[in-house]
Amino acid sequence: MNKFSVIGNPINHSLSPMIHQEFAKEFGIDLSYEKILSPVDAFNLTAEKFISSGGLGFNITLPFKINAYSFSENLTENAKAAGAVNTINIDNNIIYGENTDGAGLVNDLENNLEQKIKDKVILVIGAGGATQGILKPILDKNPEKILLANRTKEKSLRLATNFSKYGKVCGFGLDQIKAKPVDIVINATSASIAGKMPELANGVAEGAICYDLMYGIETPFMKWAHKNSALKVSDGLGMLVEQAASSFAFWHGKKPQTQPVINLLREKGD
Ligand code: ATR
């Protein structure tokens, strides 16, 4: 049996086993995909145990993506830029680390929501780990520019400087963002987890695609976007399925269809 898994803490809520089994069905691949709860201070031990039990690859979720980066022996360009790894593949005893989060977002925006990124003005809110994972894949699609705004301005300035080698990205404090509309607004803060909304000028949402990386509930950001005349509002469920599809391709060399799985998860969530 081809053995895969996802390692995290907590892990019970993870939809990844179900998503990967659905993908595997499409190609008639027989695999196991289990959830592994790792103690917070023992990621390496947990990962090594899984590998020595015959594990061929695994996903890594919170809070271990930076541990997985250090654990990897060989990193893709996306993983290097993100400073974090969410997918590991074992090949010839070498540990390869990849980060598919940004590709997941880009593919959801472009293929499922039909929003091309090229030449668009994109406002990204937040300058934490989630933002670091998505900046390079967005910049690789040649937007006109990314406006990167964060409550703590120093962090967005630093991140903008670090990523300017990949494209045009300018750092701001949240309070510097004017009410001028942009094409796409991405909420990459952790505010939604706390049921909060970043303090943003209302006018930016007008006619924009507003995307929250979080999924599962309608977040305060999504409610705010609806109220402020956004063209389209999306949660991050499509990104979850798309990042899984890119992980699947990293392991199996085949890109599965995502729309049926997104539909299935939306039906289950209703
Ligand atoms: P993650 O890995 O999810 O990105 P993180 O690295 O802790 O988590 O970063 C959280 C991000 O959400 C930060 O950009 C944080 O802003 P600060 O740098 O100012 O702390 C942002 N954030 C969290 N709660 C917020 C809120 N209520 N309003 C605005 N920004 C918020």
Side-chain angles (χ1 to χ4, degrees), residues 62 65-66 125-132 149-153 155-156 159 174 187-199 213:
L62 298 178
K65 292 184 187 183
I66 295 171
I125 314 291
T131 299
Q132 196 161 329
N150 194 46
R151 182 173 60 182
T152 311
K153 183 178 160 186
K155 282 203 229 166
S156 48
L159 218 51
L174 263 189
N187 182 20
T189 69
S190 54
S192 302
I193 299 168
K196 298 227 169 79
M197 164 70 203
E199 282 179 35
L213 299 195

Side-chain angles (χ1 to χ4, degrees), residues 110-132:
E110 294 214 321
N111 304 339
N112 303 325
L113 301 171
E114 296 176 337
Q115 298 304 318
K116 292 293 164 223
I117 290 170
K118 190 173 180 335
D119 298 332
K120 298 285 168 62
V121 176
I122 301 178
L123 173 61
V124 176
I125 314 291
T131 299
Q132 196 161 329

Side-chain angles (χ1 to χ4, degrees), residues 179-182 185 201-210 224-225 228-231:
K180 207 172 136 218
V182 296
V185 184
N202 290 342
V204 286
E206 206 180 306
I209 310 301
C210 291
W224 166 87
N228 288 284
S229 313
L231 181 65

Side-chain angles (χ1 to χ4, degrees), residues 2 21 23-31 248 252 254:
N2 296 319
Q21 290 298 356
F23 291 161
K25 268 191 226 163
E26 183 187 336
F27 300 107
I29 295 173
D30 206 13
L31 56 81
F248 190 94
H252 305 286
K254 295 175 168 74

